[in-house]
Amino acid sequence: MNTLWSLYHPAMPPFLRELAATPPMARLRQVGMNCGCEYTAFPGFSGWLPYSRFDHSLGVALIVWHFTGDIRQSAAGLLHDVATPAFAHVVDFLHGDYLRQESTEGRTAELIDASPELQAVLRRYRLTTEDVADYRRYPIADNDSPHLSADRLEYTLGDLRCYGFAGADVIRAFYEDLTVWRDEAGRPELAFRTRETACAFASAALSVSRVYVADEDRFAMQALADLLRDAAARNVLTEDDLYLTEPLVIQKLEADPASAARWRRFRCFRRVERRANRPEDGIWYRIPAKLRYIDPLVVGQGRVSRLDGGVRRTQEAFLATDFTRWIGVPEEADHKNDGQL
């Protein structure tokens, strides 16, 4: 069991256990949460703790179950990433959807409908594909950014653990301070009981948000997207192959000499540089990123950004992140990577 699951809810209900045992969910055990970045040699990235889409999905389901006790909402939380491809949001970069990062979600209902194992469990619990294919129907599971949902909560806590930014005691304190309150429009939302904990959580969430938009992260995702695009253009991979596990996709890449060389080079990337103007040599990108952050509610008091000027200014600085610089690997560094293959 993932180390956070027992925190989210002390016991796993049978319907979640049965849904999680189906082949579409089992595939997510070998699809990472960190979008291929963990395969590089960038300092820190290769040392991350294992964290899969399966870990995340079951965590979201348990959080929803803990706070709602509703089988439909919890099952929808479990299945929200069931159609996530290998390397996850790298496919958004492949499709030019890196600012919204929604192109990974298009096949959810189709995949649930096509799985006899999922359908059998759903029927057993009197659920339909429509009940569980869109977790946005359920505000505790998902809502508009920067509000706090089970999805945002789980990947924030999971990445605080994965990146080594927070220990078990801090994560537990965040979680145990939560309850359900009403947002400005009267919809249910996860909220903190105490202002101090909410402010600490908002600051911790920004620490992982900065990783999501770091030069190394953006460079790795775009470089891997280009690698996959080239492999698809040469019929090494198909779009459907991306809905296998990451080890199987990597196996296909390594079976082709050109893709294998590019994959080995990708694995060796360890330093990204910035330039005001694009150099003539090397691999360079100028690419923005989706700015994810969380502005949580405090019960009876409002959002953290209105309660704490320091947190608000930090959020504003994050939202003003400058993406105008070119980021990349100079030719000499790229050749050095080649020499280490």
Side-chain angles (χ1 to χ4, degrees):
M1 175 181 283
N2 179 289
T3 57
L4 295 180
W5 292 346
S6 59
L7 169 63
Y8 298 150
H9 195 74
M12 190 177 300
F15 76 92
L16 284 184
R17 192 178 300 278
E18 293 174 37
L19 287 170
T22 60
M25 284 301 303
R27 181 186 72 88
L28 297 183
R29 291 181 181 274
Q30 296 186 83
V31 176
M33 278 296 288
N34 286 293
C35 305
C37 296
E38 65 270 38
Y39 293 99
T40 69
F42 290 122
F45 283 28
S46 58
W48 285 342
L49 293 173
Y51 186 24
S52 72
R53 289 279 156 177
F54 183 87
D55 296 333
H56 167 65
S57 297
L58 198 45
V60 171
L62 288 168
I63 292 170
V64 175
W65 180 251
H66 183 78
F67 286 102
T68 72
D70 186 278
I71 188 171
R72 286 173 176 79
Q73 296 184 50
S74 184
L78 178 73
L79 297 172
H80 80 281
D81 268 350
V82 73
T84 298
F87 311 119
H89 290 297
V90 167
V91 172
D92 297 324
F93 282 69
L94 185 64
H95 294 160
D97 187 42
Y98 43 77
L99 289 181
R100 294 185 306 160
Q101 295 191 1
E102 295 175 352
S103 68
T104 58
E105 301 168 6
R107 294 189 175 191
T108 302
E110 174 188 341
L111 193 151
I112 293 171
D113 266 336
S115 168
E117 296 89 354
L118 277 175
Q119 289 299 316
V121 179
L122 292 176
R123 284 194 299 271
R124 189 151 56 246
Y125 289 95
R126 298 182 180 180
L127 299 172
T128 67
T129 299
E130 184 180 6
D131 289 330
V132 301
D134 183 6
Y135 77 144
R136 290 190 174 89
R137 295 174 57 187
Y138 309 115
I140 294 298
D142 187 56
N143 52 28
D144 292 335
S145 178
H147 296 189
L148 182 59
S149 65
D151 182 26
R152 290 188 196 95
L153 173 66
E154 204 295 318
Y155 70 63
T156 299
L157 298 181
D159 278 332
L160 285 172
R161 170 188 171 274
C162 175
Y163 302 159
F165 290 174
D169 290 345
V170 170
I171 291 172
R172 178 174 295 277
F174 287 152
Y175 191 73
E176 291 182 346
D177 197 58
L178 289 167
T179 187
V180 176
W181 197 243
R182 294 280 169 176
D183 71 7
E184 296 84 346
R187 293 166 298 207
E189 182 179 341
L190 296 175
F192 289 93
R193 292 183 176 90
T194 62
R195 172 176 170 171
E196 294 77 13
T197 306
C199 291
F201 174 83
S203 296
L206 276 174
S207 70
V208 298
S209 296
R210 293 187 188 98
V211 175
Y212 302 154
V213 301
D215 291 349
E216 294 84 358
D217 191 285
R218 286 155 44 233
F219 176 87
M221 292 176 74
Q222 188 61 61
L224 185 50
D226 288 349
L227 190 165
L228 296 176
R229 182 181 294 108
D230 174 75
R234 293 185 299 102
N235 297 317
V236 175
L237 288 175
T238 67
E239 185 84 9
D240 285 341
D241 287 335
L242 295 177
Y243 293 86
L244 302 171
T245 65
E246 286 175 8
L248 286 174
V249 172
I250 293 168
Q251 183 178 327
K252 286 179 174 288
L253 293 174
E254 291 178 332
D256 172 75
S259 293
R262 292 188 67 165
W263 174 249
R264 291 194 299 270
R265 180 179 63 181
F266 177 80
R267 295 293 311 273
C268 289
F269 287 138
R270 54 177 38 87
R271 183 170 63 90
V272 168
E273 298 183 11
R274 284 187 173 196
R275 295 287 189 274
N277 299 302
R278 182 175 186 171
E280 294 183 2
D281 299 319
I283 306 170
W284 297 91
Y285 303 114
R286 186 167 62 184
I287 188 166
K290 182 177 181 179
L291 290 163
R292 302 169 181 261
Y293 76 108
I294 301 172
D295 188 13
L297 281 172
V298 180
V299 171
Q301 298 182 56
R303 298 210 176 268
V304 162
S305 60
R306 298 183 60 186
L307 301 174
D308 190 288
V311 172
R312 182 178 64 255
R313 287 188 290 274
T314 305
Q315 290 173 344
E316 290 170 350
F318 174 71
L319 292 174
T321 300
D322 181 6
F323 295 119
T324 60
R325 296 272 181 167
W326 289 90
I327 56 173
V329 177
E331 182 179 34
E332 61 271 18
D334 191 32
H335 286 172
K336 183 178 180 181
N337 285 335
D338 288 340
Q340 295 171 337
L341 301 181

